[in-house]
Amino acid sequence: MNIGVPRGLLYSKYHVFAETFLEEIGAKIVVSPATNKLILDEGVRYCVDDACLPMKVFHGHVSWLKDRCDAMLVPRFIGIKEKEYICPMFCGSIEMVSNNIPQLPCLIDTPICSTQNYKLSQWAKKTGSVLTKDENKIMAALDKALQRHGNSKTGFNDEGYPLKIGLIGHAYNIYDKFINMDLKKKLNGLGIGIITSEYINGADIADEAGKLFKKPFWTFAQEYYGAAVCIIKTKKADGIIYLSSFSCGIDSVVIELIKSETGDFPFMVLKLDEHTGEAGFDTRIEAFADMLKRRCGIGHNLS
Amino acid sequence: MEKNYYLGVDVGSVSTNLVLMDEDYMVCEKLYLKTSGHPVETLKNGLMRMAGRFGSSVKIRATGATGSGRQLAGMLIDADVIKNEITAHAVAASSIEPNVRTIIEIGGQDSKIIFLKEGIVYDFAMNTVCAAGTGSFLDRQASRLDIPIEEFGRYALKAQNPVRIAGRCAVFAESDMIHKQQTGHCSEDIIAGLCEALVRNYLNNLAKGKNIEEPIMFQGGVAANVGIVAAFEKILNKKIIIPRYYDVMGAYGAAILAKEEIERSGKETCFFGFESINDNFDVKSIECKDCSNMCEVIKISSNGELKACWGDRCGKWGALPGKVSIRN
């Protein structure tokens, strides 16, 4: 049985887990290709207009897969940590795709809540039952998937560049080279290395997020805020770029929280939307690079 | 002895500006032309006018390009330096007023705020995708009210009782203006209200939580609008300096950057003279169909010979033989 896995939203974070699990229970996996113009166009066509860009891109991936698989994995993500949540759009993503895109194959949309082991097992049993009745096989697959997931490492921590910036933002913005116009390549080309939140100590992140007057509901908000503040305080990088998609509610809060801690630390927000014109994007990146170079006294003196 | 000059061009969304600067950083000639959607023709026209006035009597030692059309402009004149507008504006402002702390720059589609400390940019902000409060919007409102844009600001100064206009969004601001006009408010009060709304919007968007310190310099085409200047002074309660060449500061900055670049590198300029403008430049846009990215690739050729390509994500077109590297 061919199971489609859309390369959108949390794919970059959890693909090792999902793919290992599906393979171990005997599925043949079809992953949609990296986002491209066709996928974006399809996504924009199907998705409601006021959704964020990553949600539109996700629609595009689902649409690409719909005629290429027998069933599709679109789990309903609820939470990763106890008493924390993720963006509410994820909760409704299944309704969005199933109502917006016609002629979809069977959707494997069992809710997934990885806050406790038994909840994860429930998810595995239900999802696995599509392919096998052998519960032992399913549990073994889950163990292997969790183990591989634990050993996998995402994120960037570039060395050997004269300057370094913390690149903060949702994984689906940072790792989608199409929608972020290959920001990493652009920054590297300007002599700037990148460090992402995965390379900041998790305990330090939690520590900083814990100092807020109220703990944010959202797991990712805590992670990005905490990582940004760690970078500012420890000077792990020369500046921070926050990559945000237009109309993201979580970002709108996190950005303001980070701004209250930046002081004199270079901080810039880059907004992503459907526009593919790179001029405005490049201007901001180049100006930010110039600013860092001058502030750090690198390169020729221009002024 | 033959004098050395530096040429700076700033190809923006609304205007294309050229500055000819001498060794002593003096502006010898400036041109402010409407881009009118044809950057290549406008730039050629500008160069032609420069050539007509100075001809071969001047020696151009270096050239620089800036503005949203900097890659295109840089290609056409083989610029020695291609820089973003933020850096160009900051360099220009601090060469006129070395102590400048804040630069307000409002152009056709962009608005920016730049903060400097000891001549170095230490923070900046640019408007997001929204063009409310920029020159294009003012242009549009002026033509809707049938008032020449040059006169627009002066109307604001004559206002007795500025009305309140919602400045957050250009579309809403326009309907708000129409409502006010239909209820009988005079144009002067509406225009003054609009100026204040735009300034409020600018400060909320770009300068929220930032300390705007003096000296403050106001650059870009909108600085010509005395109504906006007055609104800034009123709301900030601080003095705004308008530099003499406020409308071509980007081009001036590009000329300064060009001078610094050539002095640093010790190289000869790549500029091939005003004559080259007679070359037959051809700009073509194609959609590459080699992969699913379907990039919109720009191909520039001169006299039938391919000179540069950009717009591709994979770098295949950009790396074509004979292509001049123009990315920073």
Side-chain angles (χ1 to χ4, degrees):
Chain A
M1 189 177 189
N2 284 330
I3 297 200
V5 182
R7 197 188 289 266
L9 295 178
L10 293 177
Y11 174 86
S12 61
K13 258 182 139 69
Y14 298 114
H15 70 102
V16 175
F17 172 81
E19 288 163 2
T20 310
F21 179 75
L22 291 173
E23 264 169 358
E24 288 296 313
I25 57 168
K28 199 171 165 287
I29 309 172
V30 190
V31 184
S32 55
T35 310
N36 55 45
K37 193 175 181 183
L38 199 84
I39 287 178
L40 177 64
D41 286 350
E42 284 279 284
V44 171
R45 188 156 74 93
Y46 284 126
C47 191
V48 288
D49 190 50
D50 49 359
C52 61
L53 182 65
M55 194 49 84
K56 291 180 181 169
V57 169
F58 184 70
H59 276 63
H61 284 279
V62 171
S63 161
W64 188 91
L65 283 167
K66 69 181 170 119
D67 303 321
R68 294 176 165 97
C69 59
D70 309 309
M72 205 187 301
L73 183 73
V74 277
R76 192 190 298 276
F77 274 96
I78 295 175
I80 302 161
K81 287 182 186 158
E82 198 64 46
K83 290 192 177 156
E84 288 177 12
Y85 302 91
I86 63 170
C87 168
M89 285 263 209
F90 282 84
C91 230
S93 57
I94 291 97
E95 278 69 28
M96 289 171 79
V97 293
S98 58
N99 285 301
N100 289 332
I101 307 174
Q103 283 145 6
L104 283 179
C106 158
L107 297 182
I108 306 172
D109 58 357
T110 319
I112 185 165
C113 190
S114 60
T115 53
Q116 276 156 334
N117 283 341
Y118 82 90
K119 289 186 180 166
L120 209 52
S121 305
Q122 280 177 345
W123 172 82
K125 281 178 199 160
K126 197 144 185 227
T127 304
S129 68
V130 179
L131 281 127
T132 175
K133 295 216 158 37
D134 184 350
E135 274 207 9
N136 290 334
K137 194 176 174 186
I138 293 176
M139 294 324 283
L142 177 63
D143 283 344
K144 192 158 185 190
L146 284 171
Q147 191 196 345
R148 281 217 192 142
H149 173 73
N151 292 336
S152 67
K153 182 91 182 158
T154 50
F156 302 125
N157 187 15
D158 298 334
E159 299 290 345
Y161 291 94
L163 286 164
K164 194 166 191 170
I165 59 127
L167 183 61
I168 309 286
H170 290 285
Y172 39 79
N173 290 331
I174 291 182
Y175 302 110
D176 190 328
K177 284 201 270 188
F178 186 82
I179 62 171
N180 72 26
M181 297 179 249
D182 213 347
L183 179 60
K184 179 170 160 39
K185 193 171 146 194
K186 285 184 199 283
L187 286 168
N188 289 165
L190 292 165
I192 299 176
I194 290 172
I195 182 167
T196 53
S197 61
E198 292 92 336
Y199 278 88
I200 311 285
N201 184 306
D204 294 344
I205 290 178
D207 196 36
E208 289 300 341
K211 288 183 197 160
L212 282 167
F213 63 97
K214 182 184 171 302
K215 206 168 112 175
F217 297 119
W218 312 295
T219 306
F220 297 143
Q222 294 187 28
E223 182 183 333
Y224 308 148
Y225 169 79
V229 177
C230 285
I231 290 172
I232 295 168
K233 288 195 177 160
T234 59
K235 302 261 184 309
K236 259 189 185 8
D238 305 295
I240 293 176
I241 290 183
Y242 194 104
L243 194 60
S244 163
S245 30
F246 185 66
S247 86
C248 174
I250 292 178
D251 284 352
S252 70
V253 176
V254 177
I255 288 168
E256 291 307 314
L257 288 174
I258 295 175
K259 274 188 187 165
S260 65
E261 298 294 325
T262 48
D264 254 358
F265 197 77
F267 178 71
M268 179 171 73
V269 178
L270 282 177
K271 281 251 187 273
L272 296 176
D273 205 2
E274 284 160 44
H275 45 66
T276 46
E278 302 192 18
F281 206 68
D282 288 348
T283 299
R284 286 165 176 82
I285 300 167
E286 286 168 24
F288 195 70
D290 276 351
M291 180 176 91
L292 294 184
K293 281 176 195 161
R294 283 158 178 242
R295 280 176 66 152
C296 300
I298 298 173
H300 47 284
N301 182 17
L302 292 163
S303 57
Chain B
M1 201 185 99
E2 201 179 34
K3 267 177 88 179
N4 285 329
Y5 290 91
Y6 302 89
L7 176 70
V9 300
D10 176 357
V11 178
S13 57
V14 172
S15 74
T16 292
N17 312 324
L18 292 89
V19 157
L20 198 64
M21 179 187 89
D22 70 9
E23 238 9 290
D24 304 317
Y25 296 92
M26 294 298 288
V27 175
C28 305
E29 176 68 318
K30 64 153 199 166
L31 284 176
Y32 178 94
L33 309 165
K34 292 267 178 198
T35 307
S36 318
H38 304 288
V40 176
E41 284 72 28
T42 312
L43 182 58
K44 269 192 188 173
N45 176 12
L47 290 169
M48 216 100 84
R49 281 164 66 171
M50 281 276 183
R53 210 154 313 170
F54 294 92
S56 48
S57 70
V58 297
K59 181 179 180 318
I60 304 288
R61 218 179 133 220
T63 62
T66 188
S68 49
R70 61 186 178 280
Q71 304 289 7
L72 192 62
M75 181 64 235
L76 291 188
I77 62 167
D78 262 354
D80 299 301
V81 63
I82 297 174
K83 267 287 171 201
N84 62 81
E85 308 88 288
I86 306 244
T87 307
H89 275 283
V91 164
S94 42
S95 95
I96 289 173
E97 169 57 67
N99 297 322
V100 63
R101 294 298 305 273
T102 310
I103 301 168
I104 294 167
E105 200 271 335
I106 306 183
Q109 293 268 311
D110 277 332
S111 51
K112 314 171 188 74
I113 192 158
I114 308 170
F115 300 98
L116 298 100
K117 252 184 203 165
E118 286 147 22
I120 290 175
V121 177
Y122 83 92
D123 198 5
F124 68 88
M126 256 174 111
N127 62 337
T128 46
V129 275
C130 172
T134 58
S136 311
F137 178 63
L138 286 173
D139 255 345
R140 191 179 139 64
Q141 293 315 318
S143 72
R144 200 179 58 80
L145 294 170
D146 207 13
I147 296 171
I149 186 71
E150 296 77 15
E151 300 286 317
F152 201 68
R154 245 167 279 161
Y155 271 71
L157 296 187
K158 282 187 261 171
Q160 301 285 326
N161 230 342
V163 295
R164 191 168 176 91
I165 306 272
R168 188 188 302 279
C169 164
V171 179
F172 294 150
E174 177 162 333
S175 44
D176 219 12
M177 284 171 70
I178 295 173
H179 289 315
K180 293 276 149 78
Q181 154 201 321
Q182 305 299 54
T183 49
H185 292 278
C186 65
S187 297
E188 285 83 356
D189 287 351
I190 294 174
I191 292 171
L194 178 69
C195 291
E196 286 182 15
L198 294 188
V199 168
R200 259 199 322 271
N201 184 41
Y202 172 92
L203 293 173
N204 279 337
N205 268 339
L206 302 180
K208 208 172 0 177
K210 306 261 168 80
N211 199 6
I212 298 181
E213 289 184 52
E214 289 177 282
I216 306 164
M217 218 176 245
F218 187 5
Q219 305 176 173
V222 175
N225 188 314
V226 286
I228 297 278
V229 177
F232 266 117
E233 291 193 324
K234 181 175 163 192
I235 291 170
L236 291 173
N237 197 21
K238 283 176 178 156
K239 186 155 174 27
I240 306 283
I241 305 167
I242 315 279
R244 186 169 163 205
Y245 302 111
Y246 66 90
D247 54 344
V248 294
M249 288 295 269
Y252 180 46
I256 297 172
L257 287 164
K259 180 175 188 299
E260 288 178 356
E261 172 65 23
I262 221 82
E263 282 167 2
R264 188 188 63 87
S265 68
K267 285 188 197 141
E268 285 292 309
T269 179
C270 306
F271 187 63
F272 32 79
F274 288 118
E275 313 81 65
S276 67
I277 49 178
N278 299 323
D279 283 3
N280 195 7
F281 274 105
D282 185 31
V283 184
K284 239 193 220 146
S285 148
I286 59 152
E287 190 178 67
C288 173
K289 293 208 166 57
D290 292 357
C291 83
S292 49
N293 280 344
M294 292 186 269
C295 300
E296 289 152 11
V297 178
I298 301 288
K299 292 166 93 172
I300 298 194
S301 38
S302 141
N303 296 330
E305 183 194 340
L306 188 63
K307 293 207 66 168
C309 290
W310 59 74
D312 52 335
R313 284 164 185 265
C314 65
K316 177 177 61 189
W317 291 93
L320 282 180
K323 182 249 173 193
V324 190
S325 173
I326 51 158
R327 291 212 86 111
N328 274 351

